[in-house]
Amino acid sequence: MAEGLRERKKRQTRQYISDVATGLFVERGFDAVTVAEIADAANVSVNTVYNYFPAKEDLFLDRSSGVIDRLARWVRGRPEGESAAAAVLRELREEVEAVSPRVGLLSGYATFMKVIEAAPALRSRLWAIAQEVQAGLEQALREETGAAEGDDLPHLMAGQISWIHGTVIGVIGREMGKGRDPREVSREVLALLDDIEDLLSEQVLGYAVRGRV
């Protein structure tokens, strides 16, 4: 459905507030900027800021909602004959090959990482997001395999598959934080993905194959 005028204005307002906040965080540091200062700079009320962003951390990590269901979405969308781990490996390779900003491969990422490294609250929020990603993946695996409520295997497999994603994103963040060329990092991470796949057991690589009884 086409986006209505009201929805478009809300989206534009949300993006504007986030952009203003990010500029202030980059300039002065996350902890040094208050929500009241962000509201003043964006010419909106503090209540308006909180209507769009429940927590201050959301102003900087405003695209995290697209990450939380990423692994679950990739697993649910896998084709016939593909396992859960293979789906995540394939999707990551496609993102890395495309030098996609969705996995952190973009110029200027070093500035973004510096803000996070200097703010314990942001690091804590990233950890919480990682836990949500894994929990969402576990739920998807339970649904996809029909696992019983007391079966721990989906939990264990979610941990293994989340490790793939977390390792790749962590290495990209570390290397892009050095101000490196995204294309160079992309080539190195593709090799890393091959190494990761070699380390995974057959049980992990063969888990939750779509269409297998």
Side-chain angles (χ1 to χ4, degrees), residues 93-146:
R93 282 193 177 97
E94 290 175 1
E95 294 283 358
V96 173
E97 283 177 343
V99 195
S100 171
R102 288 189 294 268
V103 290
L105 290 167
L106 73 163
S107 299
Y109 198 65
T111 301
F112 179 84
M113 290 302 299
K114 285 178 182 177
V115 175
I116 292 175
E117 289 166 3
L122 289 176
R123 296 199 303 274
S124 177
R125 185 56 177 273
L126 284 177
W127 180 87
I129 289 171
Q131 301 309 299
E132 290 184 64
V133 171
Q134 184 168 328
L137 174 60
E138 179 181 343
Q139 182 60 35
L141 292 175
R142 289 189 179 281
E143 293 171 2
E144 292 288 309
T145 62

Side-chain angles (χ1 to χ4, degrees), residues 2 16 20 35 45 49 54 59 97 103 106 108 113 147 156 176 181 185 189 198:
Y16 177 67
V20 169
V35 173
S45 69
V49 174
L59 286 155
E97 283 177 343
V103 290
L106 73 163
M113 290 302 299
L156 296 173
M176 292 307 301
D181 185 327
V185 176
V189 173
D198 288 342

Side-chain angles (χ1 to χ4, degrees), residues 17 22 46 93 135 140 156 208:
I17 294 170
T22 298
V46 170
R93 282 193 177 97
L156 296 173

